[in-house]
Protein backbone atom coordinates (compact mmCIF):
# COMPACT_ATOMS: atom_id res chain seq x y z
CA UNK A 1 0.00 0.00 0.00
CA UNK A 2 2.82 2.41 0.83
CA UNK A 3 6.22 2.86 -0.76
CA UNK A 4 7.51 4.39 2.45
CA UNK A 5 6.51 4.19 6.08
CA UNK A 6 8.22 7.10 7.83
CA UNK A 7 8.62 6.82 11.59
CA UNK A 8 8.94 10.31 13.09
CA UNK A 9 7.41 13.59 11.91
CA UNK A 10 10.47 15.67 12.85
CA UNK A 11 12.61 17.48 10.29
CA UNK A 12 14.27 14.36 8.91
CA UNK A 13 10.97 12.53 8.46
CA UNK A 14 9.15 15.55 7.05
CA UNK A 15 11.84 16.39 4.48
CA UNK A 16 12.12 12.79 3.33
CA UNK A 17 8.32 12.50 3.13
CA UNK A 18 8.11 15.67 1.00
CA UNK A 19 10.83 14.50 -1.40
CA UNK A 20 9.34 11.02 -1.75
CA UNK A 21 5.84 12.38 -2.36
CA UNK A 22 7.14 14.81 -4.97
CA UNK A 23 8.75 11.85 -6.74
CA UNK A 24 5.34 10.15 -6.90
CA UNK A 25 5.81 7.75 -3.99
CA UNK A 26 3.03 6.86 -1.59
CA UNK A 27 4.00 7.73 1.94
CA UNK A 28 2.66 7.30 5.47
CA UNK A 29 4.20 9.30 8.32
CA UNK A 30 3.61 8.31 11.94
CA UNK A 31 4.75 9.89 15.20
CA UNK A 32 4.24 8.71 18.75
CA UNK A 33 3.78 12.26 20.01
CA UNK A 34 0.42 13.96 19.58
CA UNK A 35 1.92 16.51 17.22
CA UNK A 36 4.19 16.85 14.18
CA UNK A 37 7.55 18.69 13.91
CA UNK A 38 9.55 16.63 16.44
CA UNK A 39 11.80 18.75 18.61
CA UNK A 40 11.34 21.91 16.60
CA UNK A 41 7.63 21.90 17.53
CA UNK A 42 6.20 25.29 18.48
CA UNK A 43 2.91 25.67 20.33
CA UNK A 44 0.92 28.88 20.25
CA UNK A 45 0.22 30.35 23.70
CA UNK A 46 -1.20 33.88 24.06
CA UNK A 47 -0.44 34.45 20.36
CA UNK A 48 3.23 33.59 20.94
CA UNK A 49 5.02 30.64 19.27
CA UNK A 50 6.55 28.78 22.19
CA UNK A 51 9.56 26.55 21.40
CA UNK A 52 8.39 23.65 23.51
CA UNK A 53 11.56 21.51 23.30
CA UNK A 54 14.06 24.35 23.66
CA UNK A 55 15.06 27.46 21.73
CA UNK A 56 15.64 26.76 18.05
CA UNK A 57 17.47 29.27 15.89
CA UNK A 58 17.92 28.32 12.29
CA UNK A 59 21.42 29.04 11.00
CA UNK A 60 23.34 27.60 8.07
CA UNK A 61 26.16 28.13 5.60
CA UNK A 62 24.49 25.83 3.11
CA UNK A 63 22.67 27.85 0.46
CA UNK A 64 20.78 24.82 -0.87
CA UNK A 65 19.36 24.09 2.59
CA UNK A 66 18.52 27.77 3.15
CA UNK A 67 16.65 27.95 -0.16
CA UNK A 68 14.92 24.67 0.66
CA UNK A 69 13.48 25.81 3.99
CA UNK A 70 12.46 29.12 2.48
CA UNK A 71 10.08 27.22 0.21
CA UNK A 72 8.04 26.26 3.28
CA UNK A 73 8.30 29.38 5.44
CA UNK A 74 9.28 32.99 5.33
CA UNK A 75 12.22 33.61 7.66
CA UNK A 76 12.66 36.79 9.71
CA UNK A 77 15.92 38.59 10.45
CA UNK A 78 16.35 37.23 14.00
CA UNK A 79 20.00 37.03 15.04
CA UNK A 80 20.83 35.16 18.20
CA UNK A 81 22.54 37.50 20.68
CA UNK A 82 22.14 36.08 24.17
CA UNK A 83 22.95 38.14 27.24
CA UNK A 84 24.88 36.68 30.18
CA UNK A 85 23.64 37.56 33.66
CA UNK A 86 26.28 37.04 36.35
CA UNK A 87 24.77 37.96 39.73
CA UNK A 88 22.99 40.92 38.18
CA UNK A 89 25.92 42.08 36.01
CA UNK A 90 25.03 41.84 32.31
CA UNK A 91 27.53 40.92 29.58
CA UNK A 92 27.26 40.44 25.82
CA UNK A 93 27.74 37.03 24.25
CA UNK A 94 29.53 35.51 22.46
CA UNK A 95 32.82 36.89 23.78
CA UNK A 96 33.47 40.06 21.81
CA UNK A 97 34.53 43.70 22.20
CA UNK A 98 31.30 44.59 24.06
CA UNK A 99 32.09 41.83 26.59
CA UNK A 100 35.72 42.92 26.99
CA UNK A 101 34.75 46.58 27.37
CA UNK A 102 32.20 45.78 30.10
CA UNK A 103 34.59 43.44 31.92
CA UNK A 104 37.74 45.58 31.86
CA UNK A 105 36.88 48.99 30.40
CA UNK A 106 39.19 48.30 27.44
CA UNK A 107 38.31 50.20 24.29
CA UNK A 108 40.48 48.85 21.47
CA UNK A 109 41.05 45.29 20.23
CA UNK A 110 44.73 45.70 21.04
CA UNK A 111 43.94 46.50 24.69
CA UNK A 112 41.60 43.52 24.90
CA UNK A 113 44.21 41.16 23.47
CA UNK A 114 46.84 42.47 25.90
CA UNK A 115 44.50 41.90 28.87
CA UNK A 116 43.73 38.32 27.83
CA UNK A 117 47.41 37.58 27.18
CA UNK A 118 48.33 38.95 30.62
CA UNK A 119 45.76 36.68 32.35
CA UNK A 120 46.73 33.65 30.28
CA UNK A 121 50.38 34.12 31.21
CA UNK A 122 49.59 34.63 34.89
CA UNK A 123 47.68 31.31 34.85
CA UNK A 124 50.78 29.64 33.35
CA UNK A 125 48.92 27.90 30.51
CA UNK A 126 50.78 26.86 27.40
CA UNK A 127 49.03 23.71 26.13
CA UNK A 128 45.36 23.70 27.30
CA UNK A 129 44.44 20.21 28.53
CA UNK A 130 40.82 20.69 29.53
CA UNK A 131 37.91 23.13 29.20
CA UNK A 132 39.10 25.30 32.09
CA UNK A 133 42.57 25.81 30.62
CA UNK A 134 41.20 26.25 27.11
CA UNK A 135 38.75 28.91 28.29
CA UNK A 136 41.39 30.85 30.23
CA UNK A 137 43.77 30.75 27.31
CA UNK A 138 41.05 32.04 24.94
CA UNK A 139 39.43 34.77 27.04
CA UNK A 140 41.35 35.11 30.32
CA UNK A 141 40.57 34.33 33.96
CA UNK A 142 37.92 37.00 34.65
CA UNK A 143 35.63 35.90 31.84
CA UNK A 144 36.24 32.27 32.72
CA UNK A 145 35.27 32.87 36.37
CA UNK A 146 32.17 34.97 35.64
CA UNK A 147 30.77 33.70 32.36
CA UNK A 148 31.99 30.15 31.86
CA UNK A 149 32.81 28.28 35.07
CA UNK A 150 29.38 28.20 36.73
CA UNK A 151 27.33 27.89 33.54
CA UNK A 152 29.37 24.99 32.21
CA UNK A 153 29.29 23.16 35.52
CA UNK A 154 25.50 23.45 35.63
CA UNK A 155 25.13 22.42 32.03
CA UNK A 156 27.38 19.37 32.11
CA UNK A 157 27.09 18.38 35.77
CA UNK A 158 30.86 18.35 36.30
CA UNK A 159 33.66 20.92 36.69
CA UNK A 160 35.41 22.49 33.69
CA UNK A 161 38.68 20.82 34.67
CA UNK A 162 37.04 17.45 33.90
CA UNK A 163 35.57 18.41 30.53
CA UNK A 164 37.18 18.28 27.07
CA UNK A 165 38.62 21.54 25.71
CA UNK A 166 36.74 21.42 22.39
CA UNK A 167 33.33 22.22 23.94
CA UNK A 168 34.25 25.86 24.52
CA UNK A 169 35.71 26.24 21.04
CA UNK A 170 32.17 26.10 19.67
CA UNK A 171 31.72 29.71 20.80
CA UNK A 172 33.21 32.49 18.70
CA UNK A 173 35.75 34.87 20.31
CA UNK A 174 35.78 38.13 18.37
CA UNK A 175 37.79 41.30 18.56
CA UNK A 176 34.97 43.19 16.87
CA UNK A 177 31.73 44.70 18.21
CA UNK A 178 29.50 41.84 17.05
CA UNK A 179 27.02 40.03 19.31
CA UNK A 180 25.95 37.45 16.71
CA UNK A 181 26.22 34.06 18.48
CA UNK A 182 26.70 32.22 15.17
CA UNK A 183 29.11 32.68 12.27
CA UNK A 184 26.63 31.30 9.72
CA UNK A 185 25.90 33.10 6.48
CA UNK A 186 22.12 32.65 6.82
CA UNK A 187 20.08 32.91 10.03
CA UNK A 188 16.47 33.47 11.09
CA UNK A 189 13.25 32.11 12.55
CA UNK A 190 10.34 30.90 10.42
CA UNK A 191 7.61 33.51 10.80
CA UNK A 192 4.52 31.88 12.29
CA UNK A 193 6.52 29.12 13.99
CA UNK A 194 8.31 25.91 13.07
CA UNK A 195 5.15 23.82 13.32
CA UNK A 196 3.64 25.76 10.43
CA UNK A 197 6.80 25.22 8.39
CA UNK A 198 6.68 21.45 8.96
CA UNK A 199 2.93 21.45 8.27
CA UNK A 200 3.72 22.97 4.87
CA UNK A 201 6.36 20.30 4.24
CA UNK A 202 3.78 17.61 5.01
CA UNK A 203 0.97 19.12 2.91
CA UNK A 204 -1.05 16.43 1.13
CA UNK A 205 0.76 13.61 2.96
CA UNK A 206 -0.97 11.08 5.22
CA UNK A 207 0.20 11.66 8.81
CA UNK A 208 -0.91 9.80 11.93
CA UNK A 209 0.15 11.24 15.28
CA UNK A 210 -0.14 9.47 18.62
CA UNK A 211 1.02 6.21 17.00
CA UNK A 212 4.01 4.39 18.47
CA UNK A 213 5.79 2.37 15.80
CA UNK A 214 6.48 -0.50 18.16
CA UNK A 215 2.76 -0.94 18.86
CA UNK A 216 1.93 -1.34 15.16
CA UNK A 217 5.22 -2.51 13.68
CA UNK A 218 4.12 -5.80 12.14
CA UNK A 219 0.87 -4.49 10.76
CA UNK A 220 2.32 -1.32 9.20
CA UNK A 221 5.54 -2.85 7.98
CA UNK A 222 3.58 -5.42 6.03
CA UNK A 223 1.94 -2.53 4.16
CA UNK A 224 5.17 -0.70 3.26
CA UNK A 225 8.03 -1.40 0.86
CA UNK A 226 10.57 0.48 2.95
CA UNK A 227 10.79 2.09 6.38
CA UNK A 228 12.53 5.36 7.26
CA UNK A 229 13.12 5.21 11.00
CA UNK A 230 14.07 8.41 12.89
CA UNK A 231 13.54 7.19 16.47
CA UNK A 232 16.35 6.10 18.82
CA UNK A 233 18.48 3.39 17.21
CA UNK A 234 18.84 1.37 20.44
CA UNK A 235 15.06 1.35 20.98
CA UNK A 236 14.63 -0.20 17.50
CA UNK A 237 16.69 -3.17 18.64
CA UNK A 238 14.95 -3.30 22.00
CA UNK A 239 18.17 -2.13 23.74
CA UNK A 240 19.63 -5.59 23.29
CA UNK A 241 23.26 -4.35 23.30
CA UNK A 242 22.66 -1.81 26.08
CA UNK A 243 21.26 1.72 26.39
CA UNK A 244 22.79 4.76 24.67
CA UNK A 245 23.02 7.75 27.01
CA UNK A 246 21.68 11.25 26.51
CA UNK A 247 22.02 14.59 28.24
CA UNK A 248 18.63 15.90 29.16
CA UNK A 249 17.03 19.29 29.74
CA UNK A 250 13.87 20.24 31.56
CA UNK A 251 11.76 23.33 30.97
CA UNK A 252 9.48 25.25 33.30
CA UNK A 253 7.21 27.43 31.23
CA UNK A 254 5.16 30.34 32.59
CA UNK A 255 2.77 32.89 31.11
CA UNK A 256 3.44 36.31 32.67
CA UNK A 257 1.16 39.30 32.80
CA UNK A 258 3.74 41.70 31.41
CA UNK A 259 4.67 42.52 27.83
CA UNK A 260 8.42 42.40 28.44
CA UNK A 261 10.12 40.31 31.12
CA UNK A 262 13.81 40.37 30.20
CA UNK A 263 14.11 42.33 26.95
CA UNK A 264 15.84 39.55 25.02
CA UNK A 265 15.05 36.07 23.64
CA UNK A 266 17.78 34.39 25.71
CA UNK A 267 19.50 35.27 28.97
CA UNK A 268 22.15 32.89 30.33
CA UNK A 269 22.58 32.74 34.11
CA UNK A 270 26.28 32.10 34.43
CA UNK A 271 26.73 31.89 38.21
CA UNK A 272 26.72 28.48 39.84
CA UNK A 273 23.99 29.19 42.42
CA UNK A 274 21.04 30.02 40.12
CA UNK A 275 19.57 26.57 39.44
CA UNK A 276 18.53 27.19 35.82
CA UNK A 277 21.03 27.70 33.00
CA UNK A 278 18.95 30.15 30.98
CA UNK A 279 15.60 31.82 30.49
CA UNK A 280 14.01 31.99 27.06
CA UNK A 281 11.43 34.70 26.33
CA UNK A 282 9.76 33.24 23.28
CA UNK A 283 8.04 36.32 21.82
CA UNK A 284 11.38 37.93 20.97
CA UNK A 285 12.22 35.26 18.41
CA UNK A 286 9.55 36.91 16.29
CA UNK A 287 9.75 40.49 17.63
CA UNK A 288 6.34 39.95 19.24
CA UNK A 289 4.32 42.81 20.66
CA UNK A 290 1.67 40.76 22.48
CA UNK A 291 0.37 42.16 25.80
CA UNK A 292 1.59 39.07 27.70
CA UNK A 293 4.79 37.08 27.58
CA UNK A 294 5.81 33.42 27.88
CA UNK A 295 9.12 32.43 29.44
CA UNK A 296 10.83 29.07 29.92
CA UNK A 297 13.45 28.39 32.53
CA UNK A 298 15.85 25.72 31.29
CA UNK A 299 17.45 23.25 33.68
CA UNK A 300 20.11 20.78 32.72
CA UNK A 301 19.39 17.32 34.07
CA UNK A 302 20.77 13.80 34.11
CA UNK A 303 19.00 11.58 31.63
CA UNK A 304 17.38 8.33 32.67
CA UNK A 305 15.85 5.65 30.47
CA UNK A 306 12.28 6.73 29.71
CA UNK A 307 13.13 10.47 29.77
CA UNK A 308 12.93 12.55 26.59
CA UNK A 309 16.28 12.09 24.81
CA UNK A 310 17.90 15.44 23.93
CA UNK A 311 21.65 15.52 23.32
CA UNK A 312 23.60 12.35 22.42
CA UNK A 313 26.64 11.95 24.68
CA UNK A 314 29.59 11.90 22.33
CA UNK A 315 32.06 10.07 24.52
CA UNK A 316 34.05 6.96 23.75
CA UNK A 317 31.80 4.51 25.56
CA UNK A 318 28.62 5.63 23.80
CA UNK A 319 30.43 6.01 20.47
CA UNK A 320 31.50 2.37 20.62
CA UNK A 321 28.05 1.15 21.54
CA UNK A 322 26.57 3.16 18.68
CA UNK A 323 28.99 1.51 16.25
CA UNK A 324 27.70 -1.89 17.34
CA UNK A 325 24.09 -0.82 16.80
CA UNK A 326 25.08 0.67 13.44
CA UNK A 327 26.24 -2.77 12.28
CA UNK A 328 22.82 -4.21 13.13
CA UNK A 329 21.14 -1.27 11.41
CA UNK A 330 23.14 -1.77 8.22
CA UNK A 331 21.96 -5.36 8.09
CA UNK A 332 18.27 -4.32 8.11
CA UNK A 333 17.52 -4.28 4.41
CA UNK A 334 14.09 -2.75 4.58
CA UNK A 335 14.92 0.02 7.06
CA UNK A 336 16.90 3.26 6.71
CA UNK A 337 17.99 4.92 9.97
CA UNK A 338 18.12 8.72 9.91
CA UNK A 339 18.17 11.90 11.98
CA UNK A 340 19.43 12.87 15.39
CA UNK A 341 18.20 9.75 17.21
CA UNK A 342 18.47 7.25 14.37
CA UNK A 343 22.13 8.17 13.83
CA UNK A 344 22.86 9.13 17.47
CA UNK A 345 24.48 12.33 16.34
CA UNK A 346 24.27 15.91 17.55
CA UNK A 347 22.83 17.43 14.40
CA UNK A 348 21.78 21.04 14.00
CA UNK A 349 18.60 21.53 11.99
CA UNK A 350 20.42 22.43 8.77
CA UNK A 351 22.53 19.27 8.99
CA UNK A 352 19.46 17.11 9.53
CA UNK A 353 17.83 18.62 6.45
CA UNK A 354 21.03 18.16 4.46
CA UNK A 355 21.20 14.54 5.53
CA UNK A 356 17.51 13.90 4.69
CA UNK A 357 18.00 15.44 1.24
CA UNK A 358 21.03 13.20 0.70
CA UNK A 359 19.05 10.13 1.78
CA UNK A 360 16.28 11.16 -0.60
CA UNK A 361 18.77 11.40 -3.48
CA UNK A 362 20.21 8.01 -2.58
CA UNK A 363 16.98 6.04 -2.14
CA UNK A 364 14.45 7.71 -4.39
P1 LIG B 1 13.34 14.73 16.11
O1 LIG B 1 12.92 16.13 15.94
O2 LIG B 1 13.67 14.26 17.46
O3 LIG B 1 12.22 13.81 15.46
C1 LIG B 1 12.13 12.42 15.71
C2 LIG B 1 10.67 12.07 15.88
O4 LIG B 1 10.53 10.65 15.94
C3 LIG B 1 10.06 12.63 17.15
O5 LIG B 1 8.96 13.46 16.88
C4 LIG B 1 9.66 11.37 17.94
O6 LIG B 1 8.45 11.55 18.67
C5 LIG B 1 9.49 10.36 16.83
N1 LIG B 1 9.62 8.98 17.30
C6 LIG B 1 10.63 8.46 18.03
N2 LIG B 1 10.39 7.17 18.31
C7 LIG B 1 9.19 6.86 17.74
C8 LIG B 1 8.39 5.69 17.70
N3 LIG B 1 8.75 4.56 18.30
N4 LIG B 1 7.22 5.74 17.03
C9 LIG B 1 6.81 6.89 16.42
N5 LIG B 1 7.53 8.02 16.44
C10 LIG B 1 8.71 8.02 17.08
N6 LIG B 1 19.39 22.99 15.97
C11 LIG B 1 19.65 24.18 15.35
O7 LIG B 1 19.94 24.19 14.16
N7 LIG B 1 19.53 25.37 16.04
C12 LIG B 1 19.19 25.42 17.36
O8 LIG B 1 19.10 26.51 17.94
C13 LIG B 1 18.95 24.18 18.04
N8 LIG B 1 18.60 24.18 19.33
C14 LIG B 1 18.40 22.99 19.98
C15 LIG B 1 18.05 23.01 21.33
C16 LIG B 1 17.84 21.83 22.01
C17 LIG B 1 17.47 21.87 23.48
C18 LIG B 1 17.99 20.60 21.33
C19 LIG B 1 17.81 19.30 22.05
C20 LIG B 1 18.30 20.56 19.97
C21 LIG B 1 18.52 21.76 19.29
N9 LIG B 1 18.80 21.76 17.92
C22 LIG B 1 19.05 22.96 17.29
C23 LIG B 1 18.84 20.50 17.12
C24 LIG B 1 17.48 20.15 16.46
O9 LIG B 1 16.50 20.01 17.46
C25 LIG B 1 17.60 18.84 15.66
O10 LIG B 1 18.59 18.98 14.67
C26 LIG B 1 16.32 18.38 14.93
O11 LIG B 1 15.16 18.64 15.64
C27 LIG B 1 16.41 16.90 14.65
O12 LIG B 1 15.35 16.43 13.85
P2 LIG B 1 15.06 14.87 13.73
O13 LIG B 1 13.95 14.71 12.76
O14 LIG B 1 16.31 14.12 13.48
O15 LIG B 1 14.63 14.42 15.20
N1 LIG C 1 29.13 28.45 27.58
C1 LIG C 1 29.46 29.15 28.73
N2 LIG C 1 28.73 30.26 29.05
C2 LIG C 1 27.70 30.70 28.29
C3 LIG C 1 27.37 29.99 27.12
C4 LIG C 1 28.10 28.85 26.79
O1 LIG C 1 30.37 28.78 29.45
O2 LIG C 1 27.08 31.70 28.66
C5 LIG C 1 29.93 27.24 27.26
C6 LIG C 1 29.30 25.96 27.82
O3 LIG C 1 30.36 25.12 28.25
C7 LIG C 1 28.64 25.36 26.60
C8 LIG C 1 29.60 25.77 25.49
O4 LIG C 1 30.03 27.08 25.87
O5 LIG C 1 28.54 23.96 26.69
C9 LIG C 1 28.99 25.80 24.11
O6 LIG C 1 27.86 26.66 24.14
P1 LIG C 1 26.59 26.38 23.23
O7 LIG C 1 25.64 27.49 23.41
O8 LIG C 1 27.07 26.06 21.85
O9 LIG C 1 26.04 25.06 23.93
P2 LIG C 1 24.72 24.18 23.65
O10 LIG C 1 23.64 24.77 24.51
O11 LIG C 1 24.42 24.27 22.19
O12 LIG C 1 25.12 22.83 24.12
Amino acid sequence: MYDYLIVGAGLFGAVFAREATDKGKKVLVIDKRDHIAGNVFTREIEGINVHEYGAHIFHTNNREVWEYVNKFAEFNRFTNAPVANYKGELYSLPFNMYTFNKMWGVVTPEEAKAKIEEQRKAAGITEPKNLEEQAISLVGTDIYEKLIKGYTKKQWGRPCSELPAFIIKRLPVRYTFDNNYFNALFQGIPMGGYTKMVENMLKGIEVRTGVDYFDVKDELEAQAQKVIYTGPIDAYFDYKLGTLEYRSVRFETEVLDTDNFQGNAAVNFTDEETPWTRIIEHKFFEFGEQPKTVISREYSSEWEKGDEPYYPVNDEKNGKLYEEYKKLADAEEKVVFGGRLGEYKYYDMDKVIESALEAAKKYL
Side-chain angles (χ1 to χ4, degrees):
M1 242 182 105
Y2 299 104
D3 296 302
Y4 285 95
L5 165 65
I6 298 179
V7 181
L11 279 177
F12 192 99
V15 168
F16 194 94
R18 177 79 270 143
E19 293 305 290
T21 305
D22 289 351
K23 292 254 162 31
K25 306 289 181 198
K26 191 154 167 37
V27 168
L28 169 65
V29 180
I30 61 166
D31 202 297
K32 66 175 181 187
R33 294 177 180 166
D34 65 359
H35 59 75
I36 59 162
N39 274 10
V40 306
F41 175 66
T42 46
R43 185 191 301 278
E44 201 188 299
I45 302 175
E46 298 289 342
I48 297 163
N49 292 308
V50 172
H51 296 207
E52 199 156 294
Y53 300 91
H56 278 78
I57 298 111
F58 198 92
H59 55 99
T60 188
N61 280 313
N62 183 327
R63 183 180 296 275
E64 189 193 339
V65 168
W66 181 243
E67 283 170 0
Y68 189 82
V69 290
N70 274 273
K71 289 198 287 189
F72 304 102
E74 193 180 347
F75 279 70
N76 69 16
R77 62 156 185 87
F78 181 83
T79 299
N80 194 25
V83 169
N85 180 329
Y86 177 77
K87 301 185 178 180
E89 291 171 29
L90 300 184
Y91 293 93
S92 296
L93 290 173
F95 312 118
N96 74 92
M97 283 303 295
Y98 288 114
T99 328
F100 307 144
N101 173 262
K102 177 82 189 263
M103 189 67 73
W104 301 309
V106 295
V107 170
T108 65
E110 200 183 333
E111 287 166 6
K113 277 183 191 158
K115 193 82 195 171
I116 289 169
E117 183 56 18
E118 176 195 312
Q119 300 200 342
R120 192 183 63 79
K121 268 203 183 128
I125 296 162
T126 42
E127 287 279 306
K129 288 186 294 294
N130 53 48
L131 199 156
E132 177 176 283
E133 295 186 3
Q134 182 69 69
I136 293 171
S137 95
L138 281 173
V139 289
T141 316
D142 293 336
I143 291 182
Y144 168 69
E145 290 287 340
K146 287 189 170 178
L147 306 185
I148 298 173
K149 191 178 172 182
Y151 185 90
T152 302
K153 184 159 183 224
K154 286 191 288 189
Q155 191 173 5
W156 295 92
R158 63 192 86 158
C160 291
S161 54
E162 292 173 21
L163 286 164
F166 77 86
I167 292 178
I168 198 69
K169 286 197 185 156
R170 283 221 295 262
L171 293 191
V173 177
R174 296 197 190 106
Y175 292 94
T176 52
F177 291 91
D178 181 357
N179 291 333
N180 184 352
Y181 203 65
F182 301 117
N183 283 324
L185 205 52
F186 307 104
Q187 185 173 170
I189 302 281
M191 282 148 82
Y194 285 94
T195 305
K196 203 169 122 201
M197 177 178 91
V198 177
E199 231 170 66
N200 287 338
M201 287 175 173
L202 292 170
K203 213 165 246 171
I205 297 171
E206 186 179 348
V207 180
R208 296 186 205 160
T209 53
V211 179
D212 191 320
Y213 174 58
F214 299 112
D215 294 340
V216 291
K217 192 166 183 274
D218 294 340
E219 178 198 336
L220 285 185
E221 257 184 34
Q223 297 175 33
Q225 298 283 338
K226 224 172 168 79
V227 177
I228 304 291
Y229 175 82
T230 74
I233 187 168
D234 54 352
Y236 183 90
F237 296 105
D238 202 19
Y239 308 98
K240 69 179 174 194
L241 305 177
T243 306
L244 289 164
E245 291 170 318
Y246 291 86
R247 188 161 69 85
S248 204
V249 276
R250 180 169 65 79
F251 302 97
E252 274 174 14
T253 297
E254 260 185 274
V255 179
L256 300 179
D257 209 1
T258 170
D259 64 336
N260 188 353
F261 172 71
Q262 63 181 13
N264 203 34
V267 176
N268 292 1
F269 290 79
T270 57
D271 66 294
E272 203 183 319
E273 292 74 30
T274 306
W276 51 86
T277 48
R278 52 185 172 179
I279 299 183
I280 302 303
E281 189 164 8
H282 300 268
K283 68 193 308 178
F284 293 125
F285 288 120
E286 295 181 66
F287 312 103
E289 291 178 346
Q290 298 84 351
K292 294 195 180 187
T293 197
V294 183
I295 63 161
S296 298
R297 288 191 175 78
E298 184 174 328
Y299 300 82
S300 191
S301 63
E302 283 299 319
W303 176 86
E304 280 165 33
K305 201 171 157 183
D307 287 351
E308 199 63 65
Y310 279 97
Y311 301 97
V313 178
N314 289 123
D315 63 8
E316 210 182 314
K317 182 180 115 198
N318 286 287
K320 275 194 181 139
L321 183 55
Y322 169 70
E323 285 308 320
E324 293 306 308
Y325 275 119
K326 173 90 170 56
K327 283 180 201 154
L328 297 181
D330 289 342
E332 293 281 314
E333 275 178 17
K334 201 175 164 175
V335 187
V336 175
F337 292 75
R340 183 180 71 92
L341 304 168
E343 296 174 63
Y344 193 64
K345 199 161 172 181
Y346 184 80
Y347 269 136
D348 273 332
M349 290 181 272
D350 61 327
K351 297 290 177 200
V352 160
I353 292 169
E354 203 177 294
S355 145
L357 289 172
E358 267 164 30
K361 270 184 206 141
K362 183 168 168 193
Y363 295 103
L364 294 170

